[in-house]
Structures are given as structure tokens and as C-alpha cells.
């Protein structure tokens, strides 16, 4: 198992120097659920986020495993809200609309690490300074739309948001650089694996 873990990490992480953990699950749905719930559990809100709530943003045409977990986390009160990022008719994000959503919901810019009052320096709380997490599909499961993952990740970083990429449809078809994201889901059955 460790050999396979190393092979897969070397395939999706151009630099193994980047600390990245790999968990094996039963498939893409479970991987998406674990990743998104994990990111949601790290989000800050209220006084820790300048009064802003913890929010999940997800692609409106994502796989149901992404959409449903976001909605369930909001319904269970794990985050304050889950909002769909609308797409153009070609399946791509309107990046200006997406950036406006990030600007509206995010309390932190550029990772939120430069505060005059010392926030961000508490070593006992390892959570990132983020109150927004974004989940999107790298390659859409129905439309086949290939999203610009690096541009989406860069925009999220500029607004201090965590990022999950559902790359299940893209593995071995497009470059999947897991180091761009906080979490990535891939699945073996899409590449003729077990």
C-alpha cells in the first residue's frame, strides 16, 4: 500500500517536498465527502473572522457528491451557508462573478496572515485563517468542461479561501497538480483501476 501511495503522490504532486497526505477511500463520493467536511471543520467564523460566517461555495454543476455534502453541512449547522457558483452556458465559471462571491463572503485576503493585533500567530490553533471553502470539479462529469484549476486556486488564495478540487473525471486525462489545492479527490475506477 505504501508503494502505491508513493506512486500516486508522485503522479499528482510535482514536488514530493510538498507535505500532502493521501487517504484511500471506497471511491470519489467518499473522497469528496471527507475532503469537503474536513475543510469545513477548519473554517473560522464570527469573532475569529471579523464577524463573517463560515461559508461553502460549490460549482452549480458539480457531481452530486459535492453538492449534497455542501448542502448537508449547511443544514446541520457545520457552516452557516452553502452557495452555488453559477456557470456560463459552456460550463465555465464567470470569473468576475466568482471573484465577487469570494470578495463578499471572505473575511481574509491573501491567506489572512498579516494582522496588527497578532492574530495568525497562535501556534496552538493550526487552522488556517479562512472562513470560506470552495469545491469545484476540475472536469465536469456531464459536460466534460475542463476548468482552469490553477486560475481558480489562485483566485481563492487571493481571497484567503480553502480549495477542494474534485478531479475524479480528470485523472490521467489532464494534469492534476494536487499541490494547488487544500484537498483533491481522485478515483481509481475512472482509470480502469479497482
Amino acid at each position: 500500500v505504501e508503494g502505491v501511495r508513493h506512486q500516486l503522490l508522485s503522479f499528482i504532486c510535482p514536488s514530493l517536498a510538498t507535505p500532502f497526505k493521501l487517504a484511500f477511500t471506497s471511491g470519489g463520493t467518499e473522497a469528496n465527502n471527507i475532503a469537503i467536511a474536513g475543510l469545513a471543520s477548519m473554517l473560522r467564523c464570527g469573532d475569529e473572522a471579523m464577524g463573517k460566517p463560515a461559508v461553502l461555495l460549490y460549482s452549480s454543476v458539480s457531481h452530486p457528491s459535492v453538492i449534497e455534502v455542501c448542502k448537508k453541512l449547511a443544514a446541520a449547522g457545520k457552516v452557516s451557508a452553502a452557495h452555488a457558483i453559477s456557470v456560463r452556458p459552456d460550463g465555465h465559471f464567470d470569473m468576475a462573478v466568482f471573484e465577487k462571491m469570494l470578495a463578499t463572503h471572505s473575511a481574509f485576503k491573501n491567506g489572512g496572515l498579516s494582522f496588527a493585533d497578532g492574530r495568525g500567530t497562535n501556534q496552538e490553533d493550526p487552522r488556517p485563517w479562512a472562513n470560506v471553502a470552495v469545491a469545484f470539479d476540475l472536469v465536469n462529469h456531464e459536460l466534460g468542461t475542463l476548468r482552469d484549476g490553477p486560475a481558480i486556486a489562485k483566485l481563492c488564495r487571493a481571497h484567503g479561501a480553502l480549495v477542494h478540487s474534485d478531479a475524479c473525471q480528470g485523472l490521467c486525462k489532464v494534469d492534476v497538480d494536487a499541490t494547488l489545492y487544500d484537498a483533491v479527490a481522485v478515483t481509481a475506477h475512472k482509470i480502469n483501476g479497482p
Side-chain angles (χ1 to χ4, degrees):
V1 172
E2 289 308 312
V4 171
R5 183 184 314 273
H6 184 75
Q7 277 184 311
L8 185 55
L9 277 173
S10 67
F11 185 65
I12 64 174
C13 298
S15 168
L16 284 178
T18 303
F20 210 87
K21 294 181 181 173
L22 178 69
F24 291 104
T25 66
S26 64
T29 295
E30 184 180 12
N32 281 324
N33 278 256
I34 290 170
I36 294 167
L39 293 182
S41 73
M42 293 190 293
L43 296 177
R44 297 172 184 267
C45 62
D47 290 343
E48 287 188 324
M50 297 177 233
K52 293 207 174 195
V55 175
L56 291 173
L57 302 177
Y58 61 90
S59 169
S60 62
V61 294
S62 280
H63 189 273
S65 66
V66 170
I67 295 171
E68 292 307 313
V69 72
C70 290
K71 289 179 178 180
K72 286 178 182 177
L73 288 166
K78 303 294 182 183
V79 294
S80 298
H83 300 293
I85 305 162
S86 61
V87 297
R88 301 183 317 227
D90 64 1
H92 289 284
F93 288 172
D94 179 325
M95 294 300 275
V97 171
F98 178 45
E99 184 167 20
K100 187 174 182 180
M101 288 181 81
L102 286 167
T104 298
H105 295 290
S106 181
F108 307 104
K109 305 296 182 241
N110 295 315
L113 298 176
S114 56
F115 294 98
D117 63 4
R119 286 179 287 164
T121 59
N122 181 357
Q123 298 301 318
E124 294 175 14
D125 188 350
R127 293 180 301 154
W129 285 98
N131 70 306
V132 174
V134 174
F136 75 98
D137 45 348
L138 187 60
V139 177
N140 185 266
H141 68 290
E142 289 182 344
L143 303 172
T145 305
L146 171 60
R147 300 201 197 293
D148 187 346
I152 291 169
K154 183 177 180 181
L155 192 56
C156 289
R157 296 287 181 243
H159 288 275
L162 301 178
V163 192
H164 168 66
S165 177
D166 173 2
C168 291
Q169 297 291 337
L171 187 63
C172 293
K173 298 173 187 87
V174 298
D175 286 338
V176 176
D177 182 354
T179 61
L180 297 173
Y181 315 107
D182 298 291
V184 176
V186 295
T187 186
H189 79 274
K190 294 292 183 182
I191 57 169
N192 298 318

